[in-house]
Amino acid sequence: MPPFLFFFLLTFSLFVSFTSSLNSDGLSLLALKAAIESDPSHILESWSEFDSTPCHWPGIVCTRDRVTQLSLPNKGLTGYIPSELGLLDSLRRLTLAFNNFSKPIPSHLYNATNLVVLDLSHNSLSGSLSDQIGDLKKLRHLDLSSNALNGSLPNRLTDLTELVGTLNLSYNRFSGEVPPSFGNLPLIVNLDVRHNNLTGKIPQVGSLLNQGPTAFSGNPSLCGFPLQTPCPEAQNPNAFPENPQNPKSLNPNFPGYGGRRESSGRGVAGSATVAVVSSIFAVVGAVSLTVWWFRRKAVVARLEEGKTGKGSPEGESCGELEGQDGKFVVMDEGMNLELEDLLRASAYVVGKSRSGIVYKVVAGRGSSAGASIVAVRRLNDGDATLTFKDFENEIEAIGRVQHPNIVRLRAYYYATDEKLLVTDFIKNGSLHTALHGSPSSCLSPLPWSARLKIAQGAARGLAYIHEFGARKYVHGNIKATKILVDEDFEAYISGFGLGRLGQGAPKLTATSSKKLSSNQNIISSVMGPSISSPSVMYLAPEVREFGGKYTQKCDVYSFGMVLLQLLSGRLENDGKGLEWLVRKAFEEERPLTEVIDPALVPEIYAKKQVVSMFHIALNCTELDPELRPRMRTVSESLDRIKSE
């Protein structure tokens, strides 16, 4: 660098330091203001270099005087994204969706490695996507849809191992092939690369096999499963490696693809059961390789049935459908679903998790108003070795736990290689979605009255699980995604018993239960030592750090973390942990605004109620499990908080 230029920059920086008291985060944000050509909403007018901190600026959220959130969606801004935003090393959420930002995404932006949410969708960004995006190791939500990005898909997107929800790259101009490395994306991630210029065969590897056809639609030169467009080398059905045994099974109109019932009052051919269940999923359009396999199995079963002369004229609708291949059992007599309804059902993927895939199934005759809507969860078998009798015992134990704040089990299907649970469908999704939404959504923040109602309902449901019958059950995976919320903000505990059904653990459904110690709760017969592991932030320290067994007091700890999320609105741990952060703030008598969700600050009337819930949450998250209250006590304490 020439000496005169160095001297000029040094002089300029000294001038800025003497004329402005604004901190470094504020100066980086002013670079964004300078890059804006048009600000029709005038939201940036109050961003001033004469302020000492940017924390009170519109669109900015801070923690301990550091910028952690920059959110300016749908403001009509025109300009470009400056490199200086990469200097915001505490930034966790960057949302600039629905504006008119252009030019390439600066590579220096990826220096903001604490980003958890990055939403730049619905702009006019161009250029290629740098491999440096893989440096954002903490990223959980990424939405770059509806831009003009081009070039190939970066292989390093698979380095984003914390991603959840949808990786949305749709409606751009990406070209080239889908990288085989995309098969390494987490199973629970939905890939969306619709309407690009991608070419070639979709790799048949890893999590790519779990993507539906809509994930790849709008790419005319893309071929292979799950699209209906065969690749040139696979025009001959016998050339499909996915179906070497029965190529005709790919055609749902193949003769014999239908259902017949046995005349028995209690049963019908198991192959009819497979047709019923497979028809639910076939309408998704081959959502995954598993669904394709399900359909193949149904056709093979039909052919075998025709050869052996099985089947009989149609009879009455039954509660149980069983045969050599599987068994379908309706547990709730009030479930208004018949076989014909299931055969005509429409199904949509609504969620994925380590325990399996969840579908929304719309079935019924007549108008849509009279249709029945249920959720169908296909369980991942993992290393499961449960026999049908074991599975049936576990399911019956789960089905007996009925409460207004627990998702009700309506029916189930069991076969050696397929296990399905039919439950109520809760319209508005999970508490996690209600609190944080998706990166591209702009949901209204939950008001205090709704948060209190959700906490009270969830506590009642969990307390009921803990106190049901003679056995002391444990849920084992309480977190925000396992608490569902309807349109009236009623809460429903979901996922009870999934750990036992998805793992091949020794059966523990004996009438006697084993006590862990004189002071510990009894482990559930349904949820024994094979409880599915919840997210780390929800794990009680005695389990997380010392590998102890899961007890009801562990559920209490997890529920306390849910309460802290409700109160703080935080996505995940900060520093040493959310519980540590809140406890320290209370011990040091810091302002409540340091830990509370900013959306709750205007509700001044609720301050005493908010503080009361904070104290309940801190009691639930005590390090010593013996100091944590029982869920019944937690529920009663929450019920004493009255929402105004």
Side-chain angles (χ1 to χ4, degrees):
M1 179 184 294
F4 74 90
L5 180 58
F6 175 79
F7 177 77
F8 171 77
L9 292 175
L10 179 61
T11 303
F12 179 77
S13 63
L14 290 174
F15 172 77
V16 170
S17 65
F18 282 116
T19 59
S20 173
S21 59
L22 191 61
N23 63 20
S24 58
D25 284 357
L27 294 175
S28 297
L29 292 172
L30 287 181
L32 173 62
K33 181 180 180 179
I36 300 299
E37 300 173 5
S38 175
D39 178 14
S41 63
H42 306 290
I43 193 171
L44 304 183
E45 282 187 354
S46 60
W47 288 23
S48 172
E49 66 272 19
F50 299 108
D51 294 330
S52 60
T53 173
C55 294
H56 63 277
W57 292 354
I60 304 301
V61 174
C62 293
T63 300
R64 297 180 182 177
D65 207 35
R66 295 302 307 276
V67 174
T68 56
Q69 181 171 323
L70 169 55
S71 183
L72 297 170
N74 200 24
K75 302 301 180 184
L77 300 174
T78 299
Y80 64 93
I81 298 174
S83 299
E84 286 82 353
L85 292 188
L87 298 175
L88 298 173
D89 53 11
S90 294
L91 188 64
R92 296 173 58 79
R93 187 182 187 103
L94 175 58
T95 304
L96 300 175
F98 293 93
N99 285 292
N100 192 30
F101 286 98
S102 59
K103 298 186 179 182
I105 301 173
S107 58
H108 288 292
L109 180 64
Y110 307 127
N111 292 333
T113 54
N114 279 311
L115 274 173
V116 175
V117 172
L118 177 59
D119 185 0
L120 305 178
S121 62
H122 296 273
N123 280 286
S124 301
L125 298 169
S126 60
S128 60
L129 192 58
S130 170
D131 263 340
Q132 287 181 259
I133 196 170
D135 294 338
L136 303 180
K137 304 292 186 182
K138 298 180 181 179
L139 205 62
R140 294 173 62 84
H141 297 279
L142 177 60
D143 191 347
L144 302 177
S145 62
S146 300
N147 280 287
L149 299 172
N150 54 36
S152 59
L153 297 174
N155 277 290
R156 288 200 61 200
L157 282 172
T158 58
D159 290 348
L160 307 179
T161 57
E162 298 297 317
L163 282 178
V164 296
T166 300
L167 169 55
N168 199 339
L169 305 173
S170 63
Y171 292 92
N172 278 287
R173 300 173 185 174
F174 289 113
S175 58
E177 298 185 347
V178 177
S181 61
F182 274 33
N184 296 325
L185 287 169
L187 179 65
I188 60 176
V189 171
N190 292 308
L191 178 65
D192 191 347
V193 291
R194 291 174 297 161
H195 296 278
N196 279 284
N197 299 318
L198 300 173
T199 58
K201 182 179 180 180
I202 300 171
Q204 303 298 298
V205 293
S207 61
L208 289 176
L209 294 172
N210 291 321
Q211 306 298 331
T214 55
F216 303 98
S217 63
N219 291 277
S221 300
L222 207 56
C223 64
F225 180 87
L227 295 175
Q228 299 298 318
T229 306
C231 295
E233 70 274 15
Q235 294 291 348
N236 180 357
N238 292 322
F240 274 98
E242 295 88 351
N243 188 21
Q245 300 178 16
N246 186 16
K248 293 182 180 180
S249 67
L250 286 173
N251 181 6
N253 298 316
F254 187 75
Y257 194 84
R260 290 189 251 174
R261 301 175 183 162
E262 291 184 356
S263 58
S264 166
R266 293 291 293 169
V268 72
S271 52
T273 301
V274 179
V276 171
V277 180
S278 65
S279 296
I280 295 175
F281 301 106
V283 295
V284 184
V287 170
S288 66
L289 187 61
T290 304
V291 180
W292 168 84
W293 172 261
F294 215 27
R295 293 174 60 193
R296 187 189 71 84
K297 177 180 161 188
V299 177
V300 174
R302 283 285 164 272
L303 293 174
E304 291 178 352
E305 180 185 62
K307 291 177 182 178
T308 58
K310 288 185 179 180
S312 60
E314 292 191 359
E316 300 181 295
S317 178
C318 312
E320 289 187 10
L321 314 175
E322 63 179 318
Q324 63 182 11
D325 288 330
K327 184 174 182 179
F328 181 77
V329 179
V330 176
M331 303 182 67
D332 179 14
E333 295 180 357
M335 187 175 78
N336 188 24
L337 283 181
E338 299 179 359
L339 292 179
E340 291 82 359
D341 298 325
L342 291 174
L343 287 168
R344 286 190 291 267
S346 298
Y348 313 89
V349 175
V350 294
K352 296 180 182 180
S353 68
R354 290 178 178 84
S355 61
I357 301 176
V358 180
Y359 302 85
K360 173 186 176 182
V361 176
V362 183
R365 296 176 177 177
S367 65
S368 59
S372 297
I373 302 177
V374 294
V376 176
R377 179 186 294 272
R378 180 188 180 275
L379 297 176
N380 285 337
D381 278 345
D383 299 324
T385 58
L386 288 178
T387 64
F388 171 71
K389 190 63 177 175
D390 293 335
F391 187 87
E392 185 177 47
N393 288 341
E394 300 292 351
I395 281 288
E396 289 179 355
I398 295 170
R400 285 192 291 269
V401 182
Q402 298 180 10
H403 185 272
N405 295 109
I406 299 175
V407 176
R408 189 166 184 175
L409 181 63
R410 300 291 184 177
Y412 68 90
Y413 172 78
Y414 176 92
T416 304
D417 57 350
E418 301 291 346
K419 297 172 184 64
L420 306 170
L421 303 181
V422 181
T423 65
D424 287 335
F425 179 78
I426 309 302
K427 182 178 179 181
N428 279 7
S430 71
L431 172 59
H432 181 276
T433 301
L435 279 175
H436 310 296
S438 62
S440 59
S441 67
C442 300
L443 296 177
S444 299
L446 283 177
W448 166 248
S449 59
R451 301 188 197 213
L452 178 58
K453 185 176 182 180
I454 291 169
Q456 291 170 335
R460 294 187 200 110
L462 186 55
Y464 186 83
I465 291 174
H466 282 190
E467 297 181 356
F468 181 81
R471 304 186 182 100
K472 303 299 182 182
Y473 290 158
V474 176
H475 184 285
N477 199 7
I478 290 293
K479 53 185 176 181
T481 55
K482 295 298 183 184
I483 298 175
L484 306 184
V485 182
D486 67 11
E487 58 271 21
D488 297 320
F489 300 112
E490 284 292 346
Y492 301 83
I493 300 290
S494 70
F496 174 56
L498 289 183
R500 283 292 299 164
L501 298 177
Q503 302 292 330
K507 181 167 166 40
L508 296 174
T509 49
T511 55
S512 62
S513 300
K514 178 182 178 181
K515 285 202 172 186
L516 297 175
S517 71
S518 59
N519 294 321
Q520 286 180 311
N521 292 301
I522 301 173
I523 290 294
S524 160
S525 63
V526 173
M527 297 299 298
S530 62
I531 292 170
S532 56
S533 298
S535 301
V536 173
M537 73 170 289
Y538 296 95
L539 273 176
E542 62 268 25
V543 176
R544 181 177 64 240
E545 298 177 11
F546 305 109
K549 292 184 178 180
Y550 218 97
T551 68
Q552 288 187 348
K553 290 299 181 75
C554 298
D555 273 351
V556 173
Y557 182 93
S558 299
F559 185 79
M561 293 302 298
V562 171
L563 292 183
L564 291 178
Q565 269 195 291
L566 266 171
L567 292 162
S568 68
R570 296 173 186 267
L571 273 171
E572 59 177 33
N573 299 29
D574 275 320
K576 294 185 178 180
L578 181 56
E579 175 271 334
W580 177 88
L581 181 68
V582 174
R583 194 176 298 279
K584 188 172 179 62
F586 271 80
E587 290 174 352
E588 297 178 357
E589 299 182 350
R590 294 180 184 173
L592 191 61
T593 52
E594 288 194 13
V595 291
I596 195 175
D597 189 336
L600 294 179
V601 173
E603 301 192 55
I604 303 299
Y605 69 87
K607 180 177 179 180
K608 291 183 179 180
Q609 301 167 8
V610 170
V611 171
S612 296
M613 190 185 287
F614 264 120
H615 284 300
I616 294 171
L618 292 176
N619 286 338
C620 290
T621 54
E622 287 284 356
L623 294 181
D624 185 350
E626 296 304 320
L627 297 179
R628 298 172 202 153
R630 294 167 54 248
M631 272 310 303
R632 174 59 54 194
T633 303
V634 174
S635 179
E636 292 171 352
S637 298
L638 288 170
D639 285 340
R640 283 195 290 269
I641 301 177
K642 302 297 183 182
S643 175
E644 299 179 10

